[in-house]
Amino acid sequence: MNTEKKKEFLEEELKNLGKVAVAFSFGVDSTYLLKTAHDVLGENAVAITARAKCFPERETREAEEFCRKKGIKQIVFDFEPLSLEEFRSNVKNRCYFCKKALFSRIKDIAEENGIDNIIEGSNLDDLSDYRPGMQAIKELCVLSPLLDAKLKKSEIRLLSKEAGLKTFDKPSYACLASRFVYGEEINEEKLKMIERAENKLFSLGFSQFRVRLHGRLARIEVNKEDFSKIVEFADEITPYLKELGFSYISLDLSGYKTGSMNP
């Protein structure tokens, strides 16, 4: 099935659902899903966005701005993953417990607003990585229309570009907890350190990057073509990250890789 046929499949599936709550983070996938749902269902597509310490604040602000500009009803709620022992202690299947709590809350909000169907933006490529949170999504009967349509990330970017969405070339941003090695305690201080460190890289013009935390060591991942740029800004990055509380700052010579903590 080619990309256009997959798009038609997606639109037909959304049409059949009638009314949906879209778990919306302003990532590439959830933005395309929300835009398509709103095109097909109009006011019967509602965005639900979580505000949490493990999500960059700029992402939440951009999600709210997108919905305002598009005239999409959005419900924003506060979510506290640090209240979960499994999240704080950072067990290997941390994402399962976090997603279970997150989508349980989304499901409650949807039901309060008379919506039976909750949809989220997992795509076909997500099946190739370790994603224990997908088990929670299935258990809660949350639907994944992009996955059902067998859409890959590259296809979603292409369709997003055709739809005029500025997210078509947006770098992938995951929950800040993904910057921790499994077993290392997650707390508000460390999450804030990572968020501020990554905001610094963002302000310097880097697009795809991660700041991974190992104790008090920051392991910076950027695309290999950006290595020289990191060196260029080293005298600015190093003292800033040390002020945040990192003792050592390193560059991963393997370059940026999504899910690099999973192996």
Side-chain angles (χ1 to χ4, degrees):
M1 189 161 52
N2 63 31
T3 303
E4 191 59 35
K5 290 292 184 182
K6 292 179 183 182
K7 177 187 175 185
E8 292 173 5
F9 181 95
L10 171 66
E11 292 172 344
E12 188 64 25
E13 180 175 354
L14 292 170
K15 182 180 178 181
N16 291 336
L17 292 176
K19 192 172 186 179
V20 298
V22 185
F24 178 53
S25 65
F26 197 60
V28 176
D29 304 320
S30 68
T31 301
Y32 179 70
L33 180 60
L34 177 60
K35 169 68 164 55
T36 306
H38 187 252
D39 287 347
V40 173
L41 301 172
E43 63 182 14
N44 284 326
V46 177
I48 302 183
T49 301
R51 183 191 295 113
K53 293 180 178 65
C54 60
F55 303 144
E57 290 181 11
R58 69 172 184 273
E59 293 287 289
T60 305
R61 290 195 300 271
E62 289 177 336
E64 292 176 306
E65 181 183 1
F66 178 85
C67 289
R68 280 196 301 271
K69 287 184 175 180
K70 298 293 184 182
I72 299 173
K73 180 180 177 180
Q74 182 187 33
I75 300 169
V76 181
F77 70 99
D78 291 317
F79 176 61
E80 186 47 84
L82 288 170
S83 65
L84 305 171
E85 170 59 31
E86 296 87 356
F87 183 89
R88 293 195 308 274
S89 58
N90 197 15
V91 296
K92 189 174 182 181
N93 60 342
R94 169 203 73 233
C95 191
Y96 167 80
F97 295 99
C98 186
K99 291 278 189 179
K100 190 71 176 280
L102 175 64
F103 278 92
S104 293
R105 183 70 185 109
I106 290 175
K107 195 168 186 176
D108 289 342
I109 293 171
E111 290 176 356
E112 290 166 5
N113 286 270
I115 304 172
D116 294 327
N117 299 305
I118 299 95
I119 61 177
E120 62 87 41
S122 294
N123 66 69
L124 193 62
D125 292 333
D126 291 327
L127 298 181
S128 63
D129 195 9
Y130 174 64
R131 295 182 183 272
M134 294 187 74
Q135 179 185 345
I137 288 169
K138 290 180 181 178
E139 289 175 1
L140 292 168
C141 299
V142 174
L143 304 175
S144 305
L146 301 178
L147 185 56
D148 294 340
K150 296 182 170 55
L151 281 164
K152 299 178 181 179
K153 190 79 166 190
S154 59
E155 294 176 306
I156 294 168
R157 289 188 182 278
L158 175 63
L159 292 170
S160 296
K161 186 175 184 179
E162 292 176 355
L165 295 172
K166 68 177 184 179
T167 50
F168 81 91
D169 63 349
K170 182 179 181 179
S172 298
Y173 292 114
C175 166
L176 294 174
S178 66
R179 284 37 161 194
F180 290 73
V181 63
Y182 289 119
E184 172 148 0
E185 180 191 5
I186 299 174
N187 59 38
E188 186 173 350
E189 177 195 3
K190 293 176 183 177
L191 288 170
K192 188 58 66 176
M193 285 169 63
I194 293 170
E195 180 177 9
R196 289 173 176 166
E198 293 195 346
N199 282 344
K200 181 64 174 178
L201 296 182
F202 184 79
S203 73
L204 293 172
F206 292 93
S207 55
Q208 192 66 78
F209 54 81
R210 293 287 187 269
V211 177
R212 310 288 189 185
L213 184 144
H214 300 263
R216 290 287 167 172
L217 181 145
R219 175 167 60 88
I220 298 175
E221 293 180 11
V222 294
N223 292 326
K224 290 184 177 180
E225 56 266 31
D226 286 332
F227 281 5
S228 60
K229 188 175 178 181
I230 278 284
V231 174
E232 178 186 347
F233 286 109
D235 290 342
E236 186 172 346
I237 294 171
T238 300
Y240 182 80
L241 265 61
K242 286 193 172 184
E243 285 180 12
L244 294 178
F246 293 103
S247 299
Y248 302 97
I249 294 86
S250 67
L251 173 64
D252 191 325
L253 297 181
S254 297
Y256 167 77
K257 182 181 179 182
T258 182
S260 69
M261 290 301 206
N262 290 333

